[in-house]
Amino acid sequence: MIRGAMKVAARAQVPPFEVMTVLRKVSELRATGRDVISLCAGEPASGAPSGVRRRGAEVVTDGTPLGYSNALGLTELREELSGHYRRSYGLDVPIDNIAITTGSSGAFLLSFLTAFEAGARVALARPGYPAYQNILTALDLDVVELDCGPAERFQPTVAQLAQAHAATPLAGLVVASPANPTGTMFAPGQLAEIATWCAAEGVRLVSDEIYHGITFSDSDPSTADGEASDEETTDGEAPGNAEQVWGGDCAWATDRSGFVVSSFSKFWGMTGWRLGWALVPDDLIDTLEALAGNLALCPPVPAQHAAVEAFTEQSYAEGRAAMADYAEARTVVLDRLDELGWVDVAPADGAFYVYARITPVLGEHADSRAWADALLAAEGVAVTPGVDFDRVHGDQTIRISLAAGREAVAEALTRILRFQSGLSADGEMDRGERSITEPTVS
């Protein structure tokens, strides 16, 4: 009997994360004894708060039930998140609208499956986090990329959305503020404007707020260049009796017909614990719960018990201490931009990234991937080529992560400058090209 040929599903053939390729190369070099500074991954070096770690160790031996939880997560953890939104944003979010997920990735998957039919058009900014596009593609959704460069301050505008929607109606929009890879934020009122437009046009908004709490108040998102004040500060003051200043606007402050997605991975440094959450609209919560139970049964239960401790005074304080290190690393980079000669630097309003075009310093290298490979080989510094975030212009850009901390970033910049000094004359730095979109610290 002749059997039909089996094949890989076309929708499953998404590109791998470029950052994972870089991390593999870092591991290989370190295995040979090389000293490598990795500025490629968006992974806080501090790790989880001490209280979370302690509770994580306790739950495996103290008799805490570790069987399945509710598909939407432990009630206790959802109650803590509801309190977090009340303290941090002044929002009343019922626990019935909170879904704990297996990382923010699980929240995106469930949100997209719940809200969009196959073939629906979903818009997102380019450059942007590659998993948005890859998950949407794997679900047979039509991705509409909005080209968001310096002129748009790397964030989508209502004018862009209206134009795309008029051409062929959109079903959804994914936004992030602060964004990966740029770190840019919406100007005050801009997210509310977009949320209002989406609600009026029947476009389901998915707001990625994973980097909330990691913002720099010296950078002004209302200006084209993210102009900085005289003093470097970070948002995210103490919770509890004092009102917490939590950087970033929540989409649900304007309209609750869309999703809010977030995670314990960034501010709390809990990347490997694989816990995220979604704020889910009333009309979709039952459907999402049914999907969650079928796809994953429940989020990781030991991690859920431990994450309850993320909302203590001590855990917030440890998160702010890590932020202070990111802020110092950011200042180191911003202070050396003239020397580096990078251009079209995205305003680093939040998160822990600096994203820039390196065309003037490519030298003999064909693109940013070749440049990054050469930098890693020559100087032992790993950065992420922009092709991960922008398949059109990313061959000229890179992203560096500040999450490694001030000392590592400072040493890495010294090595990068040494590397650039050895490039051919064709790659001489044209400092006159430096873009006004770059944030500065005066």
Side-chain angles (χ1 to χ4, degrees):
M1 182 175 65
I2 300 176
R3 297 178 178 176
M6 291 183 284
K7 59 184 180 180
V8 177
R11 67 180 183 178
Q13 297 182 48
V14 298
F17 272 138
E18 186 77 19
V19 68
M20 300 309 294
T21 302
V22 178
L23 286 172
R24 175 180 53 78
K25 294 175 182 177
V26 169
S27 296
E28 290 171 353
L29 285 175
R30 285 176 173 167
T32 69
R34 283 287 301 276
D35 172 30
V36 179
I37 301 174
S38 179
L39 303 185
C40 59
E43 182 171 36
S46 56
S50 57
V52 171
R53 291 172 180 265
R54 182 182 62 252
R55 184 61 184 141
E58 291 172 352
V59 297
V60 298
T61 58
D62 67 1
T64 298
L66 298 180
Y68 297 134
S69 73
N70 183 292
L72 296 181
L74 293 172
T75 298
E76 183 181 7
L77 182 56
R78 294 157 71 199
E79 287 174 343
E80 290 290 345
L81 274 167
S82 180
H84 172 73
Y85 277 93
R86 185 170 54 254
R87 292 189 303 270
S88 303
Y89 302 94
L91 296 178
D92 179 17
V93 178
I95 68 167
D96 290 343
N97 293 100
I98 299 174
I100 308 299
T101 59
T102 305
S104 64
S105 301
F108 286 120
L109 178 61
L110 289 169
S111 299
F112 296 160
L113 277 170
T114 303
F116 307 127
E117 298 285 0
R121 284 164 46 90
V122 180
L124 46 79
R126 187 185 70 238
Y129 179 52
Y132 302 148
Q133 178 160 347
N134 294 343
I135 296 172
L136 290 166
T137 298
L139 295 176
D140 264 346
L141 293 163
D142 184 9
V143 176
V144 179
E145 292 187 309
L146 305 175
D147 191 4
C148 300
E152 294 78 25
R153 208 173 180 278
F154 298 91
Q155 288 284 4
T157 65
V158 167
Q160 287 178 305
L161 292 169
Q163 183 177 10
H165 192 54
T168 304
L170 299 171
L173 168 68
V174 182
V175 298
S177 175
N180 178 8
T182 60
T184 58
M185 297 176 67
F186 284 119
Q190 189 178 1
L191 178 59
E193 182 185 12
I194 285 177
T196 300
W197 181 90
C198 285
E201 297 294 332
V203 176
R204 191 79 70 169
L205 178 64
V206 180
S207 180
D208 181 355
E209 301 178 3
I210 191 172
Y211 291 101
H212 276 205
I214 307 176
T215 62
F216 307 100
S217 57
D218 71 316
S219 185
D220 184 359
S222 66
T223 65
D225 60 356
E227 184 177 354
S229 67
D230 291 334
E231 183 178 358
E232 176 81 26
T233 58
T234 58
D235 289 331
E237 298 303 320
N241 294 331
E243 186 72 13
Q244 185 182 3
V245 180
W246 192 256
D249 294 331
C250 180
W252 268 32
T254 300
D255 181 81
R256 300 194 177 191
S257 63
F259 293 90
V260 169
V261 172
S262 196
S263 170
F264 291 92
S265 291
K266 305 304 180 181
F267 178 81
W268 288 281
M270 295 171 59
T271 53
W273 299 70
R274 305 315 302 140
L275 278 185
W277 71 86
L279 307 187
V280 186
D282 288 336
D283 63 321
L284 297 181
I285 187 64
D286 290 342
T287 302
L288 185 140
E289 182 176 11
L291 278 171
N294 279 278
L295 290 177
L297 295 181
C298 67
V301 171
Q304 288 190 70
H305 283 291
V308 171
E309 297 299 313
F311 301 100
T312 66
E313 296 275 2
Q314 180 62 32
S315 291
Y316 279 109
E318 291 179 26
R320 293 194 304 275
M323 280 184 55
D325 198 23
Y326 309 150
E328 291 180 5
R330 172 178 175 267
T331 299
V332 168
V333 176
L334 300 184
D335 284 349
R336 303 196 76 173
L337 284 173
D338 277 332
E339 294 177 79
L340 289 164
W342 300 346
V343 299
D344 290 343
V345 182
D349 304 321
F352 31 65
Y353 305 115
V354 174
Y355 187 76
R357 182 164 63 86
I358 60 168
T359 308
V361 297
L362 278 174
E364 65 269 27
H365 303 294
D367 53 33
S368 59
R369 182 186 281 121
W371 186 93
D373 284 344
L375 171 66
L376 180 58
E379 294 290 348
V381 175
V383 300
T384 305
V387 291
D388 228 12
F389 315 106
D390 185 339
R391 297 174 192 176
V392 177
H393 308 296
D395 62 345
Q396 301 291 302
T397 62
I398 61 168
R399 186 197 73 178
I400 65 172
S401 172
L402 308 173
R406 181 189 183 282
E407 289 188 13
V409 169
E411 172 60 22
L413 293 186
T414 297
R415 298 185 189 186
I416 291 171
L417 286 166
R418 186 167 60 212
F419 168 74
Q420 291 184 172
S421 71
L423 296 177
S424 68
D426 291 340
E428 287 182 357
M429 300 176 216
D430 180 5
R431 290 178 178 83
E433 262 191 271
R434 184 178 170 197
S435 169
I436 63 168
T437 61
E438 165 195 311
T440 57
V441 175
S442 56

